Amino acid sequence: MYFLNQSSVITGFGANGFDAGSAVFISLAGALVVEIILTAVFILTILVVTKDEKIKPNHGLIIGFALTAVHILGIPLTGTSVNPARSLAPAVFQGAAALNQVWVFIVGPFIGAAIAVGLYKLFYNEGASTEAVKREVVTEEERI
């Protein structure tokens, strides 16, 4: 189960980690930023792709590619969480060192998901933008 390297102290069971738990010894702040960005990208991909009915047969494929890309980028850095449940179980089995770090892999994805939802609502929420355009048109017509 354990690989014979220094990071195996924390990541032997697939637990996420930073500092000694990361293959590149990424810092706490770096791990948090990585988890936030990768989760935001993944969740935003899901939200945007599932909105478009024209590409419905390819939703799973596109989301799968996005998840693969997120993991290719994130595994060397933190082990890649983007899913708090995926981080918690290995940390429980790994023990104290991983449990001390698991909060980053719970908080980071929640912040990343909130950012993704905010960006989605800002750029893809047709209902709000349509209402704003209608109000603008009505205001313009009232001037005339």
Side-chain angles (χ1 to χ4, degrees), residues 26-106:
I26 195 167
S27 68
L28 165 67
L32 191 58
V33 168
V34 164
E35 290 298 321
I36 290 170
I37 291 171
L38 293 179
T39 302
V41 167
F42 181 54
I43 297 299
L44 190 59
T45 301
I46 293 169
L47 292 172
V48 171
V49 166
T50 56
K51 179 181 172 89
D52 191 351
E53 289 295 322
K54 290 180 259 179
I55 59 171
K56 191 170 187 168
N58 297 318
H59 287 173
L61 188 62
I62 295 167
I63 292 168
F65 280 139
L67 185 60
T68 301
V70 161
H71 278 82
I72 287 171
L73 292 170
I75 285 174
L77 301 174
T78 63
T80 308
S81 175
V82 302
N83 177 355
R86 200 252 21 84
S87 299
L88 193 55
V92 168
F93 286 102
Q94 185 67 33
L99 284 171
N100 287 335
Q101 295 185 359
V102 77
W103 70 269
V104 172
F105 306 101
I106 295 171

Side-chain angles (χ1 to χ4, degrees), residues 1 10 17 19 24 26 29 90 101 103 119 124-125 129 133:
M1 278 285 175
I10 296 175
D19 291 334
V24 296
I26 195 167
Q101 295 185 359
W103 70 269
L119 290 171
Y124 293 98
N125 191 355
S129 60
V133 169

